[in-house]
Structures are given as C-alpha cells and as structure tokens.
Amino acid sequence: MIRLDDVSKRYPNGTAALHDVDLFIEAGEFIFLVGASGAGKSTLIRLLIREELPTTGRVVVDGHDVATLRRSQVPLLRRAVGVVFQDFKLLPTKTVAENIAFALLVTGHEGHQVKEETERALALVGLTHRRGHFPRELSGGEQQRVAIARSLVNHPKILIADEPTGNLDPVTSWEIIKLLTRVNELGTTLVMATHNAEIVNALRRRVLHLDHGAVVRDEREGLYAA
Amino acid sequence: MRRISYIVGAAWEGFWRNPVMSIASTLTVSLMLLLFAFFIVTDRGLQAAVTVLESKVELVLYLEDTAKPSDILALKARIEKDPAVTRVDYVTKEQALARLREIAARKKDFDLADVDTNPLDASLEIKMASAQETSRLAASLKDEVGRGVVADLVDNPTVVEKLLTITRVLSIGGIAVLGMMLFVALFVIVNTIRIAVHGRRDEIEIMKLVGATDWFVRWPFILEGMLVGALGATVSLAIIIAGAGPVTTAMIGFLDILPVSLGPNFIAQLVLGVFGFALLVGAGGASISVRTHLAK
C-alpha cells in the first residue's frame, strides 16, 4: 500500500529531514510513527500526501509514484489518502454535517450521494445528534471525530493521523483511538504519528521510530521506547 | 448540478465577503468600460462621417457673383473633359439658399425668415471618379481663383484627410488610455481576488487535502472575477444608455452635423463588446490571482 525506497528529503534551506528511509506498509496495517519533534515524522507524512516531493528515492502510495504523478492526478491520490490533524482543521462557519459534506461536494459528488455518505460518516463517529452544531459548540474530542468523519467520506484506503490526540485529554484521546482502531478494522490502512506513549504501549502495533531523519527501529507489536 | 450550484454559490459569497473591495473593483471596471465604449462610439462615428463625406462632393468651386454664365459653362465643360471627373453640377445662388432654408426648417433655433439678400455663392460641385486625382485637379484649378470666375476652392479630400488624422490620433490616444485603464482594472481585480483567496485559504487547504481538483478550487474565484466584470459592464451600459440621448442631441446641435448612422446592429454590438470585454478582463484578472496562489 505504501512503499519508500531509499528516500531522502532535504529542504531548500539545507535541513536534511529524512535520509535513506526504506519502508513498506501493507494494506490494512496499523502503524505508529514515533520519535522526538523534528525527527522527520511530519516530513514523512507530507511525502505520503504529496505536499512535498522526495529529494532522492521513490515514494509509492496506493500504486501512485508521487514524484512522477501528473498535477491532474494529485487529487486522485489525495482521495485515496485521508488525513487528520492535531488542530482538526474544521471550517468554523459550517456545521458538523456541512464540514463533512464539504469533502464530498468539492470532489464532485451529487446531492443524494452527499447526503447518504454524510449520514453514514456521522453515524460511524457517533455524532448524528450533533449534525447541526458549529465546531465552536463542540468539545475537542467531538471536533476530532468530525475531522475523522470528513477524512473518511471519500472512502480512502489509507488514513494518516498526525498527532490526532495531541490537543485532547487522556479520556477523550482513548475515545479517538478506539474510533481509529475501528476504522482500521473496517479495512483502512492506518498511519499515526504520536507522542502518546501510553497509547502505543497499550495497543502493541507496529512501531516505526524515527530519529534525525532516519529509521532507527521498525518493530512489530512494538513499544513507544525500545 | 450540485457542483455548479456550489461554484456559483461560492463565487457569490466571495463577492459579498469583502463588499468594499468588490464594489471598488466593479466601479474601476465600469470606468474602464465607459472609456472603452466612448472610444468605440467616437471611432465608429468618425468613420461614418468620413464615409459620408467621401461619398459627397469632393471639390467645390465657389463662383464670383459677377461671373458671366458663359464663362461658368465653359469652365464646367472644361472640367468635365478631365477623365478623373465623374460629374460637375452647377449650383446657383438660389439653389444654395434653398438648401440652406431646407436645413433651417429642420432646426428650431435657426431662423432665416429675415434674410432678404442672398449671401451665398453659386458653385460648381465636382464629383471625382478616383479620389487620388483630386489634389492634381485642385492644384490646376487653383490658378482659376481670382480670374473673375472662381472665388474660392474647397478641397473636400483635405477635410476627409483631416478627419482621418483626428481618427488616427484618437485611436492611438484611445488605445494608450484604454491600455492604462486595463492595467488598473486588472490590478484591482487581481488584488480583490487575492483578498478573496486569502479569506478562504483554510477552505482551499481542506479542498486540496480531500482531493478537490484545481478546477474546483479555481472556478469560484474566476466566476467571482467575471461577476465583477459583468456588474461593471451593467453599470457602464446603464450610464451609456441614460446618456446616449442627450449627448446625441447636443452633438447634432453643437456640430450642426449630418446625423450619421452607426449601423443597425451597433447597439447590440456595443453591448456584446462591452460585456465580452468585461468578462474577459474579470476572468483574466482572477486567473492570474488564483494561478499564483495555487502554484505555491
């Protein structure tokens, strides 16, 4: 599903964010990206959604080689990869349902489809009763669930979560993790960058540890620290 | 259908999100279009005037009151022999006065009732087969002035030539002014749309993240630019239509002209031209703005 061959990324200002990263993630996997701030987690995520291009090496996501992908093909890659951020990135002037429907509308879906898919996503994240509320009226955990619902409406094969619990209290964090685990069980490949040791240690999934842009540990059923 | 309504809705919302800027750019576009329309109308009017003048008499010899009819007829016969001449008409003093009365009858503020002497000259009106020969003939007939028959010679192609010069100067000046206005209008539209893009940067970021095509991101802004253009065109056309009647009357009264016809479809052409130009400028300005943003 995701393959990185000898990938290095050097930014124009000279910072080497990643070097010689090899990685293979199978369809349906759940993988944690761990490491200190600046270790290269965010760069890796940006490569996967083609916000950045590798300086050398090859990044293949869902069969697309991101470096050779034509500009017109980029939206297709982005639809195959859902993304959830620490700061939710919800539109404050739109309701919960409108925020979710937005992802369908701007990818060209028609009316009845938008309605059905939005309702399904709302039910999946348990927010049907909050559909008419605005983001500012929701708790942090609820806002993150809206963001997850929005990332799932286009049925992505991969869901990337960049510190999804970074702004949440422990109880709410667990709710979000439970939800993400369910999404993964339904077949979506899950890549999650996190600093939350408790969650990583409790779940015992594959752990990819980055340090100064290099993979220092890739462990099945791993722990947060070696 | 849903896509189109989304794009149109987003464009409309965008226009009203920053009304001061949108209205400012609409008015700038209106002003540019007014100038554009003004030059089109003036250019067409002058061209029509040139055509009318060209089809009229090309050389006129005004005759001395004391000239003998036999001399006049001899001169007429001599001119008629010139192969470049199509026709020579002898217009008597009475005919000239009758023409003047005819014009006067059509004008309220022009009263000839108390004219009891005839101040007008008789004339020979010469129609040329080829306009290029006019200056040669005019040069040879100049010698006749002051010999007792010809009092004065009016060379119409010179008038036409002058009119063409005016048209040329106006066109060049017009294009220069229009160019500057176009630059200002584009500048204002580019900035209006840039502000709109900035106001919706979060929305654009999410659109790109969830896999919206560039088309979807770009079109609401292009449409917003076209909306600015279309509103500008409407404002300027409203001003033109409101002002056309009084201006035409004033022009005819002031210049004492021949009401020139601008052609039967002129209004339709003008409206289409102004609208087309406005939409093009609006869409062009918005494209420049959005393209710069999306390229990042």
Side-chain angles (χ1 to χ4, degrees):
Chain A
M1 186 58 64
I2 296 173
R3 184 185 192 101
L4 277 76
D5 293 325
D6 264 342
V7 171
S8 294
K9 175 67 188 177
R10 183 179 287 276
Y11 286 105
N13 65 10
T15 317
L18 288 178
H19 40 100
D20 299 338
V21 173
D22 285 298
L23 176 65
F24 181 71
I25 301 173
E26 276 181 70
E29 266 195 274
F30 188 137
I31 181 167
F32 286 117
L33 294 181
V34 302
S37 297
K41 304 190 297 290
S42 294
T43 300
L44 181 56
I45 288 175
R46 292 165 74 83
L47 288 174
L48 297 182
I49 56 174
R50 202 191 178 271
E51 281 224 336
E52 295 288 349
L53 289 173
T55 312
T56 57
R58 221 159 76 100
V59 177
V60 181
V61 178
D62 186 31
H64 304 282
D65 182 339
V66 299
T68 58
L69 204 58
R70 286 212 313 270
R71 193 185 164 88
S72 59
Q73 299 290 307
V74 173
L76 297 181
L77 169 74
R78 300 256 169 91
R79 285 175 211 181
V81 184
V83 200
V84 175
F85 297 94
Q86 182 174 352
D87 59 357
F88 322 134
K89 293 193 192 296
L90 298 177
L91 296 170
T93 55
K94 293 190 190 294
T95 63
V96 166
E98 285 167 352
N99 263 286
I100 297 169
F102 184 71
L104 291 161
L105 272 177
V106 300
T107 45
H109 291 79
E110 293 299 327
H112 61 99
Q113 233 178 330
V114 172
K115 216 168 162 236
E116 277 169 30
E117 293 290 347
T118 304
E119 290 306 321
R120 194 175 303 163
L122 276 169
L124 178 72
V125 300
L127 282 176
T128 307
H129 62 295
R130 299 288 250 168
R131 58 194 322 292
H133 287 75
F134 287 94
R136 62 173 180 279
E137 299 165 343
L138 305 180
S139 70
E142 286 172 325
Q143 289 188 50
Q144 191 59 291
R145 275 147 70 188
V146 178
I148 292 170
R150 181 184 61 196
S151 72
L152 293 175
V153 280
N154 276 317
H155 301 289
K157 294 180 183 159
I158 302 163
L159 181 64
I160 296 175
D162 190 2
E163 302 269 2
T165 61
N167 281 348
L168 306 175
D169 62 67
V171 176
T172 317
S173 294
W174 273 111
E175 285 174 13
I176 295 300
I177 294 304
K178 269 189 221 154
L179 177 59
L180 291 176
T181 312
R182 229 172 96 214
V183 170
N184 173 240
E185 282 164 3
L186 290 172
T188 309
T189 308
L190 221 136
V191 179
M192 175 170 157
T194 186
H195 285 297
N196 193 324
E198 193 193 332
I199 288 170
V200 178
N201 292 341
L203 258 64
R204 300 300 297 255
R205 301 296 177 119
R206 183 177 171 190
V207 174
L208 190 81
H209 192 152
L210 288 168
D211 188 27
H212 292 96
V215 177
V216 292
R217 182 163 59 100
D218 183 354
E219 209 176 3
R220 306 250 154 220
E221 298 178 24
L223 293 168
Y224 186 77
Chain B
M1 204 52 222
R2 191 79 185 239
R3 299 176 202 201
I4 293 167
S5 73
Y6 164 77
I7 287 171
V8 172
W12 182 251
E13 216 176 89
F15 184 86
W16 291 110
R17 193 182 293 245
N18 198 335
V20 175
M21 201 63 196
S22 299
I23 289 167
S25 44
T26 302
L27 291 180
T28 314
V29 172
S30 309
L31 201 63
M32 177 197 69
L33 293 172
L34 264 181
L35 272 175
F36 175 63
F38 173 77
F39 286 119
I40 290 181
V41 171
T42 314
D43 191 60
R44 282 290 280 268
L46 282 172
Q47 274 178 21
V50 168
T51 315
V52 167
L53 282 177
E54 272 178 343
S55 69
K56 286 208 160 198
V57 187
E58 280 147 356
L59 253 178
V60 182
L61 299 180
Y62 287 103
L63 306 173
E64 300 278 7
D65 283 354
T66 51
K68 279 187 268 170
S70 57
D71 289 343
I72 295 169
L73 290 175
L75 180 63
K76 181 174 183 273
R78 189 151 66 81
I79 298 168
E80 276 169 343
K81 277 201 193 107
D82 192 300
V85 171
T86 323
R87 217 175 72 209
V88 182
D89 290 323
Y90 178 40
V91 181
T92 64
K93 281 173 79 79
E94 290 69 31
Q95 281 167 337
L97 186 63
R99 273 191 201 172
L100 187 62
R101 283 192 198 282
E102 209 177 296
I103 294 172
R106 282 189 268 137
K107 306 239 184 255
K108 296 187 285 291
D109 52 351
F110 193 29
D111 195 5
L112 276 182
D114 51 358
V115 178
D116 44 8
T117 55
N118 184 351
L120 301 173
D121 291 330
S123 60
L124 286 178
E125 293 180 348
I126 305 166
K127 183 101 180 91
M128 305 294 294
S130 71
Q132 291 95 319
E133 297 288 317
T134 317
S135 50
R136 178 187 56 77
L137 186 66
S140 75
L141 289 174
K142 271 228 165 75
D143 298 342
E144 295 290 332
V145 178
R147 285 189 187 169
V149 180
V150 181
D152 196 8
L153 178 146
V154 172
D155 181 359
N156 215 8
T158 322
V159 178
V160 171
E161 198 52 51
K162 278 181 186 154
L163 216 55
L164 281 174
T165 311
I166 296 174
T167 315
R168 240 173 275 136
V169 169
L170 260 177
S171 301
I172 295 166
I175 287 167
V177 174
L178 201 65
M180 278 189 277
M181 279 304 294
L182 182 65
F183 181 76
V184 173
L186 270 177
F187 182 79
V188 174
I189 289 179
V190 165
N191 276 294
T192 307
I193 300 300
R194 183 172 297 166
I195 290 171
V197 169
H198 186 75
R200 287 178 52 203
R201 62 193 182 287
D202 294 342
E203 216 168 295
I204 293 175
E205 185 192 352
I206 292 163
M207 285 173 89
K208 290 169 88 172
L209 269 179
V210 300
T213 54
D214 281 352
W215 192 89
F216 239 95
V217 179
R218 204 173 282 164
W219 269 96
F221 296 108
I222 292 180
L223 217 62
E224 190 182 330
M226 288 166 87
L227 186 65
V228 167
L231 285 176
T234 312
V235 170
S236 63
L237 285 172
I239 294 173
I240 291 166
I241 288 164
V247 169
T248 312
T249 316
M251 290 271 278
I252 291 172
F254 178 69
L255 293 175
D256 197 23
I257 37 168
L258 28 134
V260 285
S261 163
L262 295 175
N265 297 324
F266 182 67
I267 295 292
Q269 284 171 8
L270 186 72
V271 169
L272 274 178
V274 166
F275 255 100
F277 188 44
L279 293 180
L280 216 64
V281 170
S287 297
I288 294 171
S289 203
V290 180
R291 210 171 272 274
T292 335
H293 184 88
L294 281 184
K296 280 180 205 161

